[in-house]
Amino acid sequence: MASFKAFMPFLFVVCLMVGSVSAQLSSTFYATTCPNVSSIVRGVVEQALRSDDRAGAKLIRLHFHDCFVDGCDGSVLLEDQDGIVSELGANGNAGITGFNIVNDIKAAIENVCPGVVSCADILALASRHSVNLAGGPGWEVQLGRRDGRTANLDGAMELPSPFDDLSVLRRKFRDVQLDDTTDLVALSGAHTFGRSRCRFFDRRLNTSNPDPTLNSTYADELRQNCQPGRDTFVNLDPTTPDTFDSNYFTNLQSNRGLLESDQVLFSTSGAPTISIVNSFASSQSQFFTAFAQSMINMGNLGPLTGSTGEIRTNCRRLN
């Protein structure tokens, strides 16, 4: 009891911090300055999906990788330029794409509401619509972020990795003030759609020392799929690869999680994440509710508001 009382002032401060961040963002932020921003973003995402099944997964990955490094400030989008060493040089951002879609969204918005909507908010809205258009939940996106004028390559080196074990993943979520069980499992569920290059999981396929947490039949299928080379793309979800659903969690239950960082959520002995995986596997609605809340939680990480930062004209470069 004494230790709990000692913890309460810290908890109170954290709650105040989270509350103050949430209060600075608003779902109606652009109600008068760009009232159609959400429908504009959705339209461009729909158009991108017609020619690229991976478009939605690309956009949500950009949002994740943005928010995990110094908060949701659009820094992941910046390329090398005077005064900026891009975060794209980090291992965790290897092969990250989707910038062309962000550019298209930005151009469409600038045609209607020039100089108003940030690139950071574009990523938040695009992620919501990407999930919803794939059959997943919607949520009320909090808006009002501004774009940062810095990048943090060293911080990007600490992005969650497909090779991380559960203890490392949990630490990385705690480090950015996200819950290391529910937020971790729910947000990992975004791997219910999209693709991964073989290089991010093929060490699990070593025939002389196979990963014991990988279903052997599935491992054989993956070896066959990866024969063309390590940069071959494989579905993250072998059952419904382009649909946002709870199959990601039933896959984990049958040892068919593609990445090590996926399977450890279920296969780490005694882990508190196991019961959450089981709950989401048995109730898609429970997963959808938790995922939507975790996306809001992540979107509240360190936003720039007020007069800090800027509204970039080009998402890839500082004004």
Side-chain angles (χ1 to χ4, degrees), residues 198 201 205 221-230 232 234:
C198 291
F201 62 84
L205 308 179
E221 294 172 7
L222 293 174
R223 291 187 189 99
Q224 184 70 28
N225 291 337
C226 290
Q227 278 189 353
R230 299 191 72 210
T232 302
V234 173

Side-chain angles (χ1 to χ4, degrees), residues 245-282:
D245 55 26
S246 60
N247 285 16
Y248 168 83
F249 300 103
T250 55
N251 292 337
L252 298 185
Q253 289 176 323
S254 59
N255 285 358
R256 291 168 67 88
L258 184 65
L259 306 178
E260 290 174 60
S261 56
D262 293 325
Q263 194 60 50
V264 294
L265 301 176
F266 185 75
S267 296
T268 303
S269 179
T273 52
I274 296 173
S275 61
I276 303 173
V277 170
N278 288 334
S279 295
F280 292 168
S282 63

Side-chain angles (χ1 to χ4, degrees), residues 115-190:
V116 172
V117 180
S118 69
C119 301
D121 276 349
I122 285 174
L123 291 181
L125 284 166
S127 296
R128 187 266 185 205
H129 291 307
S130 295
V131 168
N132 190 237
L133 287 167
W139 59 91
E140 199 169 69
V141 179
Q142 301 299 298
L143 300 167
R145 302 167 190 82
R146 289 171 64 83
D147 297 318
R149 293 186 52 81
T150 61
N152 184 354
L153 177 59
D154 289 341
M157 294 293 188
E158 281 296 301
L159 283 165
S161 161
F163 311 112
D164 286 341
D165 64 24
L166 184 59
S167 63
V168 173
L169 289 171
R170 294 184 68 190
R171 174 184 61 77
K172 288 180 177 180
F173 269 66
R174 290 194 302 270
D175 285 348
V176 297
Q177 305 300 314
L178 287 175
D179 180 79
D180 66 351
T181 52
T182 302
D183 283 336
L184 169 59
V185 177
L187 292 175
S188 296

Side-chain angles (χ1 to χ4, degrees), residues 7 20 35 68 87 94 110 299:
F7 178 69
S20 64
F68 264 79
E87 295 171 9
E110 289 293 304

